[in-house]
Amino acid sequence: MDALQRQAMALESERRRTAELKRIDAALKRLDGDDYGYCVKCDEEIAPARLELDPAAINCIRCASKG
């Protein structure tokens, strides 16, 4: 049973790494296109403090809290 659990944990870790790399790649594309730092839902500027905490953030606090 331990082998199955380790395999499941390894798969989940890989899935998370892949998702994070996609977020970073998308942020780099927004940076190249001059869209970086603006919310993808409302087009308002994302607070600099939020971007410092998560440079790949795609939403402002207001839109992110709406879900």
Side-chain angles (χ1 to χ4, degrees):
M1 192 58 131
D2 285 339
L4 290 176
Q5 189 174 21
R6 281 193 300 274
Q7 182 182 17
M9 289 173 59
L11 288 172
E12 179 60 18
S13 291
E14 180 62 25
R15 186 196 65 77
R16 288 180 185 202
R17 278 192 297 273
T18 300
E20 185 63 13
L21 286 173
K22 286 180 181 180
R23 280 177 21 91
I24 292 168
D25 187 51
L28 290 171
K29 287 179 182 174
R30 287 191 309 276
L31 188 62
D32 286 341
D34 294 329
D35 293 326
Y36 183 77
Y38 293 93
C39 179
V40 297
K41 289 185 180 180
C42 70
D43 206 33
E44 292 294 320
E45 189 172 349
I46 299 172
R50 179 166 172 76
L51 291 173
E52 279 185 39
L53 187 65
D54 181 7
I58 62 171
N59 297 115
C60 64
I61 291 287
R62 183 179 44 216
C63 290
S65 65
K66 290 179 184 177

